[in-house]
Amino acid sequence: MKRTAKAHWEGNAKEGKGNLTTQSGILDQTNYSFKTRFVGDEKGTNPEELLAAAHAGCFTMAVSFALMEMGLTPTSLDTEAIVSMEGFDITSVHLSITGNIEGIKAEDFVAITKNAEQNCLISKVLKIPVTSEALLLS
C-alpha cells in the first residue's frame, strides 16, 4: 500500500503560498503558507498541524485495535496531539486521550495507551520524544 500527497508552491518562503492535495481528495488544493505555519492569521493548514492530525488518528486507531483484541468496543475515544516546536525543530509530541469504554480498568487503559504511544506507525517513524496521558471516563 502506498499513500500520496502533493504540494505546490509559488514565490519565496515568507511571501509565497502553496497548496496541498491528498490522494483521497480530503485536501484539495488546501492553502498553506508562512502565515498559516508561523503567524496563524490566514485560513489554511501547515505541516505541523497535519503531523498532529496524523499522529492523533494513528494513535487512536492503535488504542482501538488493542481494545478490540481484548473484546472491548469503546463508546468513544478522543485524542489531542500537541506538536511542540523550538525554532525550526519539532521537539516532541504529546498525546492526550480520553476514553469511554465499558469493562476495562483505568490502569489497563493506561497500559494500552502507553503501548500505542510508542508503537503506532507515526510514533515509530518519529525520532523525537512521544509522551501520552490517558483518562478513562466512567
Side-chain angles (χ1 to χ4, degrees):
M1 173 183 354
K2 294 184 180 184
R3 300 285 187 234
T4 63
K6 295 179 181 179
H8 174 78
W9 189 265
E10 296 175 1
N12 69 36
K14 276 198 168 184
E15 295 155 7
K17 63 181 178 176
N19 63 66
L20 301 168
T21 300
T22 57
Q23 176 182 351
S24 68
I26 198 68
L27 296 181
D28 185 12
Q29 297 186 4
T30 301
N31 180 50
Y32 82 110
S33 66
F34 181 87
K35 288 181 180 180
T36 64
R37 191 171 192 185
F38 299 109
V39 181
D41 66 350
E42 184 176 288
K43 187 172 180 169
T45 192
N46 59 72
E48 295 76 23
E49 176 181 69
L50 294 171
L51 175 61
H55 206 172
C58 183
F59 170 77
T60 305
M61 287 183 77
V63 171
S64 181
F65 275 116
L67 291 167
M68 182 179 70
E69 288 177 350
M70 296 175 65
L72 300 172
T73 301
T75 301
S76 64
L77 297 170
D78 295 291
T79 302
E80 178 182 38
I82 301 170
V83 172
S84 295
M85 293 179 63
E86 292 179 19
F88 290 108
D89 291 322
I90 296 174
T91 56
S92 66
V93 177
H94 182 73
L95 303 158
S96 179
I97 188 167
T98 302
N100 188 341
I101 310 147
E102 294 291 326
I104 191 170
K105 295 178 184 173
E107 58 268 17
D108 293 333
F109 183 56
V110 169
I112 287 170
T113 62
K114 288 297 179 186
N115 185 297
E117 162 194 306
Q118 295 305 311
N119 294 304
C120 84
L121 295 175
I122 301 297
S123 292
K124 287 166 67 171
V125 301
L126 297 175
K127 305 281 189 243
I128 57 173
V130 176
T131 58
S132 69
E133 62 185 299
L135 173 63
L136 182 62
L137 303 174
S138 48

